[in-house]
């Protein structure tokens, strides 16, 4: 990350190294590789890059939008993502607190970061693989990834981003820890993403082969995760989000995961109902949703802020997983996305303009602007809406045909 490289160069200079020393020059060169240049903004520095994360979500967006899943470009992208799996037994900070018998299998955020694979990226990749090809649920890639994630579940039932049981929050009170970022406790948004990946795996296992041992392992992990999420839900129905702004992100992630477990679980149904009711209340008059970064400082600002394409899409993904696609709130949200697709690209396509930061690195301190969010999250939503609306139309048509048929049936005496 550029932040670490910058701090390392400063440390070397304080120790007496000069700008001409090789280690300093290489450090500055590495920082330079994180810079962007354009006419509008000039030269600026990125905190990090996110190719695995972005490719996984773009694959899901394209699949959902109806792009041929066997298209050569789709296969090339999914194979590239699979090649990023971290399988080196010798490295990884997750081993510090994790079981010595746990095999690697995670994915990282960047091109290569074998020391820090993370649960969120690994779950996102699982979802991308089995969305592009459902039979991939039984692949060794998915099995290794799912087993690795299960092995890093915290005692409270949730998942952190990078490690297990790294929750000594008193370390954040040390005077030089000025960003409250020493620890990596469970978070609802990461737990929701893992729950979504495992939920889809379990659903697909009804038609695709999944090793019974893996199915049992992830099922048990999901039961524990639901208990954790029940304990973390706010009184007003939302969940706090650590890696995206904020309650809108956390709540969407959680209900996308819980939706796979709601059919026969009254507790889960109640959790979802409370969350979706809150989301509906937070809809802006323009049909979209938005939340200010200030909600991290003041929870009374939860879910409040100017509408953005990415935040609107997060909410709609959650609502579409649990609500009628023809509901007023969903229809108004879809209309907002359709009306705001005004960013015409050089390629002749169109996307959504978004200038607000909706990504979070360290709440209250470091925020991220993901340029791809404005592309693939709305794409995921529109594709999901069209599929859900089509299913509901077909169901309604069959119900009408059934009633009409029964009225006209001689067996009914007519």
């Amino acid at each position: 990350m550029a932040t670490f490289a910058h701090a390392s160069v400063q440390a070397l200079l304080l120790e007496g190294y000069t700008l001409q020393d090789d280690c300093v020059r290489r450090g500055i060169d590495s920082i330079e590789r994180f810079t962007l240049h354009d006419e509008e903004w000039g030269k600026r520095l990125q905190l990090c890059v996110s190719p695995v994360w972005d490719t996984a979500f773009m694959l899901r967006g394209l699949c959902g939008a109806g792009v041929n899943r066997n298209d050569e470009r789709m296969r090339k992208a999914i194979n590239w993502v699979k090649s990023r799996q971290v399988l080196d037994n010798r490295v990884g900070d997750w081993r510090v607190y994790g079981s010595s018998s746990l095999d690697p299998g995670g994915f990282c955020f960047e091109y290569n970061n074998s020391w820090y694979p993370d649960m969120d990226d690994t779950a996102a990749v699982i979802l991308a693989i089995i969305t592009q090809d459902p039979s991939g649920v039984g692949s060794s890639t998915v099995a290794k990834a799912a087993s690795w994630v299960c092995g890093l579940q915290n005692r409270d039932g949730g998942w952190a981003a990078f490690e297990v049981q790294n929750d000594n929050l008193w370390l954040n009170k040390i005077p030089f820890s000025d960003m409250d970022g020493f620890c990596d406790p469970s978070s609802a948004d990461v737990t929701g993403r893992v729950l979504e990946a495992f939920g889809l795996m379990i659903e697909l296992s009804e038609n695709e082969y999944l090793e019974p041992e893996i199915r049992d392992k992830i099922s048990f992990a999901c039961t524990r995760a639901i208990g954790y999420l029940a304990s973390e839900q706010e009184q007003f129905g939302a969940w706090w989000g650590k890696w995206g702004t904020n309650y809108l992100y956390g709540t969407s992630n959680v209900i996308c995961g819980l939706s796979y477990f709601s059919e026969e679980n009254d507790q889960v149904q109640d959790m979802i109902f409370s969350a979706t009711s809150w989301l509906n209340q937070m809809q802006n008059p323009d049909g979209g949703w938005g939340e200010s970064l200030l909600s991290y400082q003041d929870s009374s600002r939860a879910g409040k802020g100017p509408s953005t394409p990415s935040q609107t899409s997060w909410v709609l993904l959650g609502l579409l997983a649990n609500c009628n696609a023809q509901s007023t709130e969903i229809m108004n949200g879809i209309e907002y996305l359709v009306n705001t697709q005004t960013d015409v690209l050089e390629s002749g396509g169109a996307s959504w303009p978004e200038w607000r930061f909706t990504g979070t690195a360290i709440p209250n301190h470091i925020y991220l602007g993901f340029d791809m969010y404005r592309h693939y999250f709305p794409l995921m939503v529109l594709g999901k809406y069209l599929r859900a609306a089509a299913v509901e139309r077909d169901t309604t048509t069959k119900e009408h045909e059934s009633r009409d048929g029964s009225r006209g049936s001689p067996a009914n005496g007519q």
Side-chain angles (χ1 to χ4, degrees):
M1 295 176 70
T3 303
F4 298 152
H6 179 262
S8 298
V9 168
Q10 286 185 317
L12 290 170
L13 293 174
L14 288 170
E15 287 297 313
Y17 289 86
T18 70
L19 292 173
Q20 282 67 47
D21 286 313
D22 182 62
C23 58
V24 174
R25 294 188 66 83
R26 283 188 289 114
I28 293 174
D29 288 342
S30 72
I31 296 172
E32 187 68 27
R33 289 196 292 273
F34 281 95
T35 58
L36 296 173
H37 306 259
D38 60 46
E39 294 182 1
E40 183 175 1
W41 296 96
K43 183 177 181 179
R44 61 195 189 279
L45 183 65
Q46 301 178 92
L47 177 67
C48 55
V49 293
S50 52
V52 175
W53 180 254
D54 287 330
T55 304
F57 277 99
M58 188 59 78
L59 277 163
R60 291 180 65 194
L62 292 171
C63 287
V67 173
N68 183 351
R69 301 180 186 201
N70 292 316
D71 184 282
E72 181 182 356
R73 292 163 295 183
M74 299 286 278
R75 291 201 305 269
K76 186 176 181 180
I78 204 71
N79 288 335
W80 180 85
V81 169
K82 290 178 180 178
S83 73
R84 299 296 95 192
Q85 191 168 30
V86 179
L87 299 173
D88 193 335
N89 259 313
R90 300 165 296 174
V91 299
D93 270 15
W94 55 271
R95 292 189 171 280
V96 174
Y97 298 109
S99 170
S100 59
S101 62
L102 181 61
D103 290 327
F107 291 82
C108 59
F109 193 63
E110 303 84 358
Y111 286 104
N112 294 289
N113 191 356
S114 57
W115 283 93
Y116 295 103
D118 67 272
M119 260 57 72
D120 218 358
D121 272 271
T122 303
V125 169
I126 290 174
L127 284 163
I129 291 172
I130 60 182
T131 298
Q132 191 265 343
D133 179 8
S135 68
V137 71
S139 67
S140 62
T141 299
V142 171
K144 290 175 182 178
S147 294
W148 181 77
V149 171
C150 285
L152 293 174
Q153 188 172 25
N154 286 323
R155 283 192 293 265
D156 62 12
W159 279 276
F162 299 97
E163 300 179 48
V164 63
Q165 293 308 131
N166 183 1
D167 57 359
N168 293 315
L169 299 179
W170 61 267
L171 290 169
N172 289 327
K173 304 302 180 183
I174 297 175
F176 59 78
S177 175
D178 61 349
M179 290 196 296
D180 296 334
F182 266 15
C183 302
D184 189 23
S186 297
S187 68
D189 49 330
V190 174
T191 303
R193 182 97 61 214
V194 173
L195 202 62
E196 181 183 10
F198 286 176
L200 182 55
M201 287 179 66
I202 293 169
E203 182 180 273
L204 290 176
S205 71
E206 296 177 3
N207 298 307
E208 305 288 347
Y209 178 74
L210 176 64
E211 290 185 17
E213 181 182 354
I214 297 294
R215 183 188 168 98
D216 291 345
K217 186 183 293 186
I218 65 176
S219 296
F220 179 67
C222 289
T223 299
R224 295 180 59 210
I226 291 170
Y228 163 76
L229 292 171
S231 70
E232 290 294 307
Q233 189 170 21
E234 302 284 351
Q235 288 187 348
F236 54 88
W239 281 271
W240 185 82
K242 183 176 182 181
W243 298 100
T245 312
N246 169 356
Y247 290 96
L248 293 182
Y249 183 77
T251 305
S252 171
N253 280 15
V254 170
I255 61 177
C256 282
L258 289 177
S259 65
Y260 287 96
F261 305 91
S262 63
E263 189 170 333
E264 298 180 358
N265 190 317
D266 291 342
Q267 180 192 32
V268 171
Q269 291 175 13
D270 290 342
M271 292 160 66
I272 291 174
F273 178 79
S274 179
T276 54
S277 296
W278 176 76
L279 289 173
N280 288 336
Q281 293 170 22
M282 293 299 105
Q283 189 169 30
N284 288 327
D286 62 9
W289 282 265
E291 184 171 359
S292 165
L293 298 171
L294 294 174
S295 64
Y296 282 113
Q297 301 172 22
D298 180 2
S299 62
S300 69
R301 296 176 178 266
K304 298 177 181 178
S307 299
T308 67
S310 61
Q311 291 171 315
T312 298
S313 299
W314 298 341
V315 173
L316 288 171
L317 286 169
L319 294 180
L320 283 166
N322 297 281
C323 305
N324 188 319
Q326 305 304 316
S327 71
T328 300
E329 291 80 10
I330 289 177
M331 293 295 291
N332 287 342
I334 294 297
E335 186 175 355
Y336 166 83
L337 288 178
V338 171
N339 291 337
T340 56
Q341 192 191 44
T342 58
D343 191 3
V344 180
L345 309 178
E346 293 181 2
S347 62
S351 191
W352 289 263
E354 181 167 288
W355 303 108
R356 294 180 178 274
F357 280 38
T358 61
T360 308
I362 301 179
N364 293 313
H365 298 283
I366 300 177
Y367 299 102
L368 302 172
F370 288 86
D371 190 55
M372 298 298 287
Y373 277 14
R374 66 193 180 98
H375 304 310
Y376 53 65
F377 280 123
L379 191 63
M380 289 172 64
V381 164
L382 295 176
K384 188 168 187 174
Y385 167 74
L386 290 174
R387 294 193 304 277
V391 169
E392 290 179 6
R393 282 197 301 270
D394 289 345
T395 301
T396 302
T397 299
K398 290 178 181 178
E399 289 176 349
H400 287 165
E401 290 176 349
S402 177
R403 287 197 294 269
D404 293 342
S406 64
R407 289 193 192 99
S409 171
N412 287 324
Q414 297 187 24

